[in-house]
Amino acid sequence: MSTNAKSRKIFGLNQLLRLLGLGLIALLALSLFTCDLFKVGLGKKVDIDPPSVNFTSHQSGKYVRGTIELSGTAGDDIGVTRVSLKAGGVDYEAALVPGTDILWTVSLDTLSLEGSTDFTATAFDATGKSTPITILMYVDNKAPTVLVSAPLSYGG
């Protein structure tokens, strides 16, 4: 091999290494200016936990009638987006009051319900996770019936 061919081969290798070095420097500069390399973690917070929900206005086993207002709290590490209530097969959307724990309220008329009824509140978070909680209450909208009976004969 001639000296000229050897120098071309070495010169080509030097150019290749120089281009690779410049490419690495360019990639490093690009990543430093476009990525947040100094943050530790997975990026945005990963939602692992489902939301929590509780009733604060009523307890299981209570008797109710007429229009009632159910209320409670809901919470989540990412944020509660809505709370729905289901009673007697009907869905109600709760009004939310933001804060550390979300306060929710639902006003509903129990005239279409009677007897033992499940009231289920479900909290939903921003990622679609949900948690239900159910209480059983007795709805009594019927007027009392009074039965008066007198003996057929008195005194004898």
Side-chain angles (χ1 to χ4, degrees):
M1 191 181 270
S2 71
T3 315
N4 199 12
K6 274 187 179 179
S7 66
R8 269 192 244 161
K9 198 174 196 183
I10 292 173
F11 182 70
L13 184 60
N14 285 339
Q15 276 185 327
L16 181 63
L17 288 174
R18 184 176 293 158
L19 284 175
L20 281 174
L22 288 174
L24 282 173
I25 290 171
L27 272 172
L28 182 62
L30 184 64
S31 67
L32 284 175
F33 292 112
T34 59
C35 297
D36 195 357
L37 295 178
F38 302 108
K39 257 190 179 174
V40 177
L42 298 173
K44 287 186 177 183
K45 187 171 182 178
V46 176
D47 187 21
I48 296 172
D49 299 323
S52 62
V53 62
N54 292 304
F55 283 93
T56 57
S57 62
H58 292 77
Q59 298 171 346
S60 278
K62 296 293 180 181
Y63 282 83
V64 294
R65 68 184 177 114
T67 300
I68 61 172
E69 185 164 300
L70 295 169
S71 61
T73 60
D76 186 59
D77 55 340
I78 300 293
V80 174
T81 56
R82 69 185 182 98
V83 175
S84 67
L85 182 87
K86 188 170 193 166
V90 178
D91 287 317
Y92 301 88
E93 205 61 34
L96 302 180
V97 178
T100 305
D101 276 338
I102 301 291
L103 301 175
W104 59 267
T105 60
V106 174
S107 181
L108 62 105
D109 189 356
T110 64
L111 289 177
S112 63
L113 306 171
E114 193 63 40
S116 63
T117 304
D118 285 331
F119 293 82
T120 302
T122 306
F124 298 87
D125 71 8
T127 62
K129 289 183 176 59
S130 63
T131 301
I133 186 170
T134 300
I135 61 172
L136 173 73
M137 292 193 293
Y138 299 99
V139 180
D140 184 11
N141 285 313
K142 291 186 180 176
T145 305
V146 177
L147 178 62
V148 178
S149 63
L152 293 176
S153 64
Y154 181 72

